Amino acid sequence: MAGPLIDSCGFRSGRERLQGDWIWICLVALWERWWPDKLCLELLDDKVQAGYREMDHDQAACARTWLSAWSDALRLCDAAGISSIDEFDEGFSLTQSLYNWSQDLEEVLWNAGLDNREFMLARIEVCEEALRRFPDEDQLMTENRRQALAESYFEVGEVVRAEELFEQWLALDPSWGCGWIAWAACHRSREGGDRPRDPARAEQLLRRGYTTPGVRDRQGIAQWLQILCEETGRPREAQTFRRQAKELRRHAPGRKHKPLPGAVHHSAAMSSRTDEVPGGSRRPTVEFGGEGISLDPLSEVKVAVAADGPNWAEAQVARNAPCPCGSGKKFKKCCGPRSRR
């Protein structure tokens, strides 16, 4: 709506064109006044951005804001007949992609849910709805969402349901190494947790995963077995698993390190991503989880960060523009904020 009006003004320079923002601001204000019950994409975007501003100092406030935004996003999907996250991101140009933001929503709901059970229940609803609406997402997205759903059931005390979900998914894909780790992590003692855990059950699950032929992330399972043995006073067994993890890493040259499940909220892990910073620019970021993970993969993290390419903050690349790295893909699907490394 604002585009044609701004174009008709005949602005002679980029500086003058900035005055066109007043046209956009007026249209948003009129929308709120005339159609308060009609969903506005700009207002949805404002909610998402407001949540990011709240996230660092008030997880509960962020969770409430984002649950409202999630409801709006689902209404947009219904109105437009959208059945995939890719389709949403192609159709609606928000500051943050739904691909990234929906995963941040799960993380915030977990953190807020540790203090308020209602947020953990909301996390279950979000994950179930996302899995139902978007059944054909990429493998990593689907696995992460399944993990989030099952661990949330476990956290609210519905242990049987959580066990059933993990058992069902791992029967379909026994080589899902992070699934074995996530299942075991539910039974592992957590600092600050108020429910008893079962380290023996955690070890049983990790060993099942470790001995599964062709299991993915076998090195990560070995690291978790090392940690569990250390926590239960078995230093010799811990050292054995430490050596095995190093050996597995040595025989996987060039393989990018994959974070262990729950990098932010309850496990030892690391990850790298590209974050958006004020002004629309982007920067590579590395996050480290809690204690316990070997620092040996640091060199791989450096490679992952370097792969983010040149400083896109200077380029100010539009989300739907070709990526400056020369891949031929759109920026948001290559080096932009949608990228997950």
Coordinates of all heavy atoms in Angstrom, one line a residue, residues 72-138:
D72 N -1.0 -14.8 15.4 CA -1.2 -14.0 14.1 C -0.6 -14.7 12.9 O -1.2 -14.7 11.8 CB -0.5 -12.7 14.3 CG -1.3 -11.8 15.3 OD1 -2.4 -12.1 15.7 OD2 -0.7 -10.8 15.8
A73 N 0.6 -15.3 13.1 CA 1.2 -16.0 12.0 C 0.4 -17.2 11.5 O 0.3 -17.4 10.3 CB 2.6 -16.5 12.4
L74 N -0.2 -17.9 12.4 CA -1.1 -19.0 12.0 C -2.3 -18.5 11.3 O -2.8 -19.2 10.3 CB -1.5 -19.8 13.3 CG -0.3 -20.5 14.0 CD1 -0.9 -21.4 15.1 CD2 0.5 -21.4 13.1
R75 N -2.8 -17.4 11.7 CA -4.0 -16.8 11.0 C -3.6 -16.4 9.6 O -4.4 -16.6 8.6 CB -4.5 -15.5 11.7 CG -5.2 -15.8 13.0 CD -5.5 -14.6 13.8 NE -6.3 -13.6 13.0 CZ -6.4 -12.3 13.3 NH1 -5.7 -11.8 14.4 NH2 -7.1 -11.5 12.5
L76 N -2.4 -15.9 9.4 CA -1.9 -15.6 8.1 C -1.8 -16.9 7.2 O -2.2 -16.9 6.0 CB -0.5 -14.9 8.1 CG -0.5 -13.4 8.2 CD1 1.0 -12.9 8.3 CD2 -1.2 -12.8 7.0
C77 N -1.3 -18.0 7.8 CA -1.2 -19.2 7.1 C -2.6 -19.7 6.7 O -2.8 -20.2 5.5 CB -0.6 -20.3 8.0 SG 1.2 -20.0 8.3
D78 N -3.6 -19.6 7.6 CA -4.9 -20.0 7.2 C -5.5 -19.1 6.1 O -6.1 -19.7 5.1 CB -5.8 -19.9 8.4 CG -5.5 -20.9 9.5 OD1 -5.0 -22.0 9.1 OD2 -5.8 -20.7 10.7
A79 N -5.3 -17.8 6.2 CA -5.8 -16.9 5.2 C -5.2 -17.2 3.8 O -5.9 -17.0 2.8 CB -5.6 -15.5 5.6
A80 N -3.9 -17.5 3.8 CA -3.2 -17.6 2.5 C -3.1 -19.1 2.1 O -2.5 -19.3 1.0 CB -1.8 -17.0 2.6
G81 N -3.6 -20.0 2.8 CA -3.5 -21.4 2.5 C -2.0 -22.0 2.5 O -1.6 -22.8 1.7
I82 N -1.2 -21.5 3.5 CA 0.2 -21.8 3.5 C 0.4 -23.1 4.4 O -0.2 -23.2 5.5 CB 1.0 -20.7 4.1 CG1 1.1 -19.5 3.1 CG2 2.4 -21.1 4.6 CD1 1.7 -18.3 3.6
S83 N 1.2 -24.0 3.9 CA 1.4 -25.3 4.6 C 2.9 -25.6 4.8 O 3.2 -26.7 5.1 CB 0.8 -26.4 3.8 OG 1.3 -26.5 2.5
S84 N 3.8 -24.6 4.6 CA 5.2 -24.8 4.9 C 5.8 -23.5 5.3 O 5.4 -22.4 5.0 CB 5.9 -25.4 3.6 OG 6.1 -24.3 2.7
I85 N 6.9 -23.6 6.1 CA 7.6 -22.5 6.6 C 8.3 -21.7 5.4 O 8.3 -20.5 5.3 CB 8.6 -22.9 7.6 CG1 7.9 -23.3 8.9 CG2 9.6 -21.8 7.9 CD1 8.7 -23.8 10.0
D86 N 8.8 -22.5 4.4 CA 9.4 -21.9 3.3 C 8.4 -21.0 2.5 O 8.7 -19.9 2.1 CB 9.9 -23.0 2.3 CG 11.4 -23.3 2.5 OD1 12.1 -22.5 3.1 OD2 11.9 -24.3 2.0
E87 N 7.2 -21.5 2.4 CA 6.2 -20.8 1.7 C 5.8 -19.5 2.4 O 5.6 -18.5 1.8 CB 4.9 -21.7 1.5 CG 3.9 -21.2 0.6 CD 2.7 -22.1 0.5 OE1 2.7 -23.2 1.1 OE2 1.7 -21.8 -0.2
F88 N 5.8 -19.6 3.7 CA 5.5 -18.4 4.5 C 6.6 -17.3 4.3 O 6.3 -16.2 4.1 CB 5.4 -18.7 6.0 CG 5.0 -17.6 6.9 CD1 3.7 -17.5 7.3 CD2 5.9 -16.7 7.4 CE1 3.3 -16.4 8.2 CE2 5.6 -15.6 8.2 CZ 4.3 -15.5 8.6
D89 N 7.9 -17.8 4.4 CA 9.0 -16.8 4.3 C 9.0 -16.3 2.9 O 9.5 -15.1 2.7 CB 10.3 -17.5 4.7 CG 10.4 -17.7 6.2 OD1 9.8 -16.9 6.9 OD2 11.1 -18.6 6.6
E90 N 8.6 -17.0 1.9 CA 8.6 -16.5 0.5 C 7.5 -15.5 0.4 O 7.7 -14.5 -0.3 CB 8.4 -17.6 -0.5 CG 9.6 -18.6 -0.7 CD 10.7 -17.9 -1.5 OE1 10.4 -16.8 -2.1 OE2 11.8 -18.5 -1.6
G91 N 6.4 -15.7 1.0 CA 5.2 -14.8 0.8 C 5.2 -13.6 1.7 O 4.6 -12.6 1.3
F92 N 5.8 -13.6 2.8 CA 5.7 -12.5 3.8 C 7.2 -12.1 4.2 O 7.9 -12.9 4.9 CB 4.9 -12.9 5.0 CG 3.5 -13.3 4.7 CD1 3.1 -14.6 4.8 CD2 2.6 -12.4 4.1 CE1 1.8 -15.0 4.5 CE2 1.3 -12.8 3.8 CZ 0.9 -14.1 4.0
S93 N 7.5 -10.9 3.9 CA 8.9 -10.4 4.1 C 8.9 -9.7 5.5 O 8.8 -8.5 5.6 CB 9.3 -9.4 3.0 OG 10.6 -9.0 3.2
L94 N 9.1 -10.5 6.5 CA 9.3 -10.0 7.9 C 10.8 -9.7 8.1 O 11.7 -10.2 7.4 CB 8.8 -11.0 8.9 CG 7.3 -11.3 8.8 CD1 7.0 -12.4 9.9 CD2 6.4 -10.1 9.0
T95 N 11.0 -8.9 9.2 CA 12.4 -8.7 9.6 C 13.1 -10.0 9.9 O 14.3 -10.2 9.6 CB 12.5 -7.7 10.8 OG1 11.8 -6.5 10.4 CG2 13.9 -7.4 11.1
Q96 N 12.4 -10.9 10.6 CA 13.0 -12.2 11.0 C 12.2 -13.2 10.2 O 11.0 -13.2 10.1 CB 12.8 -12.4 12.5 CG 13.4 -11.3 13.4 CD 14.9 -11.3 13.4 OE1 15.5 -12.3 13.0 NE2 15.4 -10.2 13.8
S97 N 12.9 -14.2 9.7 CA 12.2 -15.3 9.0 C 11.5 -16.2 10.0 O 11.9 -16.3 11.2 CB 13.2 -16.2 8.3 OG 14.1 -16.9 9.2
L98 N 10.4 -16.8 9.6 CA 9.6 -17.7 10.5 C 10.5 -18.9 10.8 O 10.4 -19.5 11.9 CB 8.3 -18.1 9.8 CG 7.4 -19.1 10.6 CD1 6.9 -18.4 11.8 CD2 6.2 -19.6 9.7
Y99 N 11.4 -19.3 9.9 CA 12.3 -20.4 10.1 C 13.1 -20.2 11.4 O 13.2 -21.1 12.2 CB 13.2 -20.6 8.9 CG 14.1 -21.8 8.9 CD1 13.7 -23.0 8.3 CD2 15.3 -21.7 9.6 CE1 14.6 -24.1 8.4 CE2 16.2 -22.8 9.6 CZ 15.8 -24.0 9.0 OH 16.6 -25.1 9.1
N100 N 13.7 -19.0 11.5 CA 14.5 -18.7 12.7 C 13.7 -18.4 13.9 O 13.9 -18.9 15.0 CB 15.5 -17.6 12.4 CG 16.7 -18.0 11.6 OD1 16.9 -19.2 11.4 ND2 17.4 -17.1 11.1
W101 N 12.7 -17.5 13.7 CA 11.9 -17.0 14.8 C 11.1 -18.1 15.5 O 11.1 -18.1 16.8 CB 11.0 -15.9 14.4 CG 10.0 -15.5 15.4 CD1 10.2 -15.1 16.7 CD2 8.6 -15.6 15.3 NE1 9.0 -14.9 17.3 CE2 8.0 -15.2 16.5 CE3 7.7 -16.0 14.2 CZ2 6.6 -15.2 16.7 CZ3 6.3 -16.0 14.4 CH2 5.8 -15.6 15.7
S102 N 10.6 -19.0 14.8 CA 9.8 -20.1 15.4 C 10.7 -21.0 16.3 O 10.2 -21.5 17.4 CB 9.1 -21.0 14.4 OG 10.0 -21.7 13.6
Q103 N 11.9 -21.1 16.0 CA 12.8 -21.9 16.8 C 13.2 -21.1 18.1 O 13.4 -21.6 19.2 CB 14.0 -22.3 16.0 CG 13.7 -23.3 14.9 CD 14.9 -23.7 14.1 OE1 15.6 -24.7 14.5 NE2 15.1 -23.1 13.0
D104 N 13.4 -19.8 17.9 CA 13.6 -18.9 19.0 C 12.5 -18.9 20.0 O 12.6 -18.8 21.2 CB 14.0 -17.5 18.6 CG 15.3 -17.4 17.9 OD1 16.1 -18.3 18.1 OD2 15.5 -16.4 17.1
L105 N 11.2 -19.0 19.4 CA 10.1 -19.0 20.3 C 10.1 -20.3 21.2 O 9.8 -20.2 22.4 CB 8.8 -19.1 19.4 CG 7.5 -19.4 20.0 CD1 7.1 -18.4 21.1 CD2 6.4 -19.5 19.0
E106 N 10.4 -21.4 20.6 CA 10.5 -22.6 21.4 C 11.5 -22.5 22.5 O 11.3 -22.9 23.7 CB 10.9 -23.8 20.5 CG 9.9 -24.2 19.5 CD 10.4 -25.3 18.5 OE1 11.5 -25.8 18.8 OE2 9.8 -25.5 17.5
E107 N 12.7 -21.9 22.2 CA 13.7 -21.7 23.2 C 13.2 -20.8 24.4 O 13.4 -21.1 25.6 CB 14.9 -21.1 22.6 CG 16.1 -20.7 23.5 CD 17.2 -20.0 22.8 OE1 17.6 -20.4 21.7 OE2 17.6 -18.9 23.3
V108 N 12.6 -19.7 24.0 CA 12.1 -18.8 25.1 C 11.0 -19.4 25.9 O 11.0 -19.2 27.1 CB 11.6 -17.5 24.4 CG1 10.7 -16.7 25.4 CG2 12.7 -16.6 23.9
L109 N 10.1 -20.2 25.3 CA 9.1 -20.9 26.0 C 9.7 -21.9 27.0 O 9.1 -22.1 28.1 CB 8.1 -21.5 25.1 CG 7.1 -20.6 24.3 CD1 6.3 -21.4 23.3 CD2 6.2 -19.9 25.3
W110 N 10.8 -22.5 26.6 CA 11.4 -23.4 27.5 C 12.0 -22.7 28.7 O 11.7 -23.0 29.9 CB 12.6 -24.2 26.8 CG 13.4 -25.0 27.8 CD1 14.5 -24.5 28.5 CD2 13.2 -26.3 28.2 NE1 15.0 -25.5 29.3 CE2 14.3 -26.6 29.2 CE3 12.3 -27.3 27.9 CZ2 14.3 -27.8 29.8 CZ3 12.4 -28.5 28.6 CH2 13.4 -28.8 29.5
N111 N 12.7 -21.6 28.5 CA 13.3 -20.9 29.6 C 12.3 -20.3 30.5 O 12.4 -20.3 31.7 CB 14.2 -19.7 29.0 CG 15.4 -20.3 28.3 OD1 15.9 -21.4 28.6 ND2 15.9 -19.6 27.3
A112 N 11.2 -19.7 29.9 CA 10.1 -19.2 30.8 C 9.4 -20.3 31.5 O 8.9 -20.1 32.6 CB 9.2 -18.3 29.9
G113 N 9.3 -21.4 30.8 CA 8.5 -22.5 31.3 C 9.2 -23.2 32.5 O 8.5 -23.9 33.3
L114 N 10.5 -23.0 32.7 CA 11.1 -23.6 33.9 C 10.6 -22.9 35.2 O 10.7 -23.5 36.2 CB 12.6 -23.5 33.7 CG 13.3 -24.3 32.6 CD1 14.8 -24.0 32.5 CD2 13.0 -25.8 32.8
D115 N 10.1 -21.7 35.0 CA 9.6 -21.0 36.2 C 8.1 -20.9 36.2 O 7.5 -20.7 37.3 CB 10.1 -19.5 36.2 CG 11.6 -19.5 36.4 OD1 12.2 -20.3 37.2 OD2 12.3 -18.6 35.7
N116 N 7.5 -21.2 35.1 CA 6.0 -21.0 35.0 C 5.5 -22.2 34.0 O 5.7 -22.2 32.8 CB 5.6 -19.7 34.4 CG 4.1 -19.4 34.4 OD1 3.3 -20.4 34.3 ND2 3.7 -18.2 34.4
R117 N 4.8 -23.1 34.6 CA 4.4 -24.3 33.9 C 3.5 -24.0 32.7 O 3.5 -24.7 31.7 CB 3.6 -25.2 34.9 CG 3.3 -26.6 34.3 CD 2.7 -27.5 35.4 NE 2.5 -28.8 35.0 CZ 1.4 -29.3 34.4 NH1 0.3 -28.5 34.2 NH2 1.3 -30.6 34.1
E118 N 2.8 -22.9 32.8 CA 1.9 -22.5 31.7 C 2.6 -22.3 30.4 O 2.2 -22.6 29.3 CB 1.1 -21.2 32.0 CG 0.1 -21.4 33.2 CD -0.9 -22.6 32.9 OE1 -1.5 -22.6 31.7 OE2 -1.1 -23.5 33.7
F119 N 3.8 -21.7 30.5 CA 4.7 -21.5 29.3 C 5.1 -22.9 28.7 O 5.3 -23.0 27.5 CB 5.8 -20.6 29.6 CG 5.4 -19.2 29.8 CD1 5.8 -18.5 31.0 CD2 4.7 -18.5 28.8 CE1 5.4 -17.2 31.2 CE2 4.3 -17.2 29.0 CZ 4.7 -16.5 30.2
M120 N 5.4 -23.8 29.6 CA 5.8 -25.1 29.1 C 4.7 -25.8 28.4 O 4.9 -26.5 27.3 CB 6.4 -26.0 30.2 CG 7.2 -27.2 29.8 SD 8.8 -26.7 29.0 CE 9.7 -26.1 30.5
L121 N 3.5 -25.7 28.9 CA 2.3 -26.2 28.2 C 2.1 -25.5 26.9 O 1.7 -26.2 25.9 CB 1.1 -26.1 29.1 CG 1.1 -26.9 30.4 CD1 -0.1 -26.6 31.3 CD2 1.1 -28.4 30.1
A122 N 2.3 -24.2 26.9 CA 2.2 -23.5 25.6 C 3.2 -24.0 24.6 O 2.9 -24.0 23.4 CB 2.4 -22.0 25.9
R123 N 4.4 -24.3 25.1 CA 5.4 -24.9 24.2 C 5.0 -26.2 23.5 O 5.2 -26.4 22.4 CB 6.7 -25.1 25.0 CG 8.0 -25.4 24.1 CD 9.2 -25.5 25.0 NE 10.4 -25.5 24.3 CZ 11.3 -26.5 24.3 NH1 11.1 -27.6 25.0 NH2 12.5 -26.4 23.6
I124 N 4.3 -27.0 24.3 CA 3.8 -28.2 23.8 C 2.8 -27.9 22.7 O 2.8 -28.6 21.6 CB 3.1 -29.1 24.9 CG1 4.2 -29.6 25.9 CG2 2.3 -30.2 24.3 CD1 3.6 -30.3 27.1
E125 N 1.9 -27.0 22.9 CA 0.9 -26.6 21.9 C 1.6 -26.1 20.6 O 1.2 -26.4 19.5 CB -0.1 -25.6 22.4 CG -1.0 -26.1 23.5 CD -1.9 -25.1 24.0 OE1 -2.0 -24.0 23.4 OE2 -2.6 -25.3 25.1
V126 N 2.6 -25.2 20.8 CA 3.3 -24.7 19.6 C 3.9 -25.8 18.8 O 3.8 -25.8 17.6 CB 4.3 -23.6 20.1 CG1 5.3 -23.3 18.9 CG2 3.6 -22.4 20.6
C127 N 4.6 -26.7 19.5 CA 5.3 -27.7 18.8 C 4.4 -28.7 18.1 O 4.6 -29.1 16.9 CB 6.2 -28.5 19.7 SG 7.6 -27.6 20.3
E128 N 3.3 -29.1 18.7 CA 2.3 -30.0 18.1 C 1.7 -29.3 16.9 O 1.5 -29.9 15.9 CB 1.3 -30.4 19.1 CG 1.8 -31.3 20.2 CD 0.8 -31.8 21.2 OE1 -0.2 -31.0 21.4 OE2 0.9 -32.9 21.8
E129 N 1.3 -28.0 17.0 CA 0.7 -27.3 15.9 C 1.7 -27.2 14.8 O 1.3 -27.3 13.6 CB 0.3 -25.9 16.4 CG -0.5 -25.1 15.3 CD -1.9 -25.6 15.0 OE1 -2.4 -26.4 15.8 OE2 -2.4 -25.2 14.0
A130 N 2.9 -26.9 15.0 CA 3.9 -26.7 14.0 C 4.2 -28.0 13.3 O 4.3 -28.1 12.0 CB 5.2 -26.2 14.6
L131 N 4.3 -29.1 14.0 CA 4.4 -30.4 13.4 C 3.2 -30.8 12.5 O 3.4 -31.5 11.5 CB 4.7 -31.5 14.4 CG 6.1 -31.4 15.1 CD1 6.1 -32.4 16.3 CD2 7.2 -31.8 14.1
R132 N 2.1 -30.5 13.0 CA 0.9 -30.8 12.2 C 0.7 -29.9 11.0 O 0.4 -30.4 9.9 CB -0.4 -30.6 13.1 CG -1.7 -30.9 12.4 CD -2.9 -30.6 13.3 NE -3.1 -29.2 13.4 CZ -3.7 -28.4 12.4 NH1 -4.1 -29.0 11.3 NH2 -3.8 -27.1 12.6
R133 N 1.0 -28.6 11.1 CA 0.8 -27.7 10.0 C 1.9 -27.8 8.9 O 1.7 -27.6 7.7 CB 0.8 -26.3 10.5 CG -0.5 -25.8 11.0 CD -0.4 -24.4 11.5 NE -1.7 -23.9 12.0 CZ -2.6 -23.2 11.3 NH1 -2.3 -22.9 10.0 NH2 -3.7 -22.8 11.8
F134 N 3.2 -28.1 9.4 CA 4.3 -28.1 8.5 C 5.0 -29.4 8.6 O 6.1 -29.6 9.1 CB 5.3 -27.0 9.0 CG 4.6 -25.6 9.2 CD1 4.8 -25.0 10.4 CD2 3.9 -25.0 8.2 CE1 4.2 -23.7 10.7 CE2 3.3 -23.8 8.4 CZ 3.4 -23.1 9.7
P135 N 4.4 -30.4 8.0 CA 4.9 -31.8 8.1 C 6.1 -32.1 7.3 O 6.8 -33.1 7.5 CB 3.7 -32.7 7.7 CG 3.0 -31.8 6.8 CD 3.1 -30.4 7.3
D136 N 6.4 -31.3 6.3 CA 7.4 -31.6 5.3 C 8.7 -30.7 5.4 O 9.3 -30.4 4.4 CB 6.9 -31.5 3.9 CG 5.7 -32.5 3.7 OD1 5.8 -33.6 4.2 OD2 4.7 -32.1 3.0
E137 N 8.9 -30.2 6.6 CA 10.1 -29.4 6.8 C 11.4 -30.2 6.7 O 11.3 -31.4 6.7 CB 10.0 -28.7 8.2 CG 8.9 -27.7 8.3 CD 8.8 -26.7 7.1 OE1 9.8 -26.1 6.9 OE2 7.7 -26.6 6.5
D138 N 12.5 -29.5 6.7 CA 13.8 -30.3 6.6 C 14.0 -31.1 7.8 O 13.4 -30.9 8.9 CB 15.0 -29.3 6.3 CG 15.2 -28.3 7.5 OD1 15.5 -28.8 8.6 OD2 15.0 -27.1 7.3

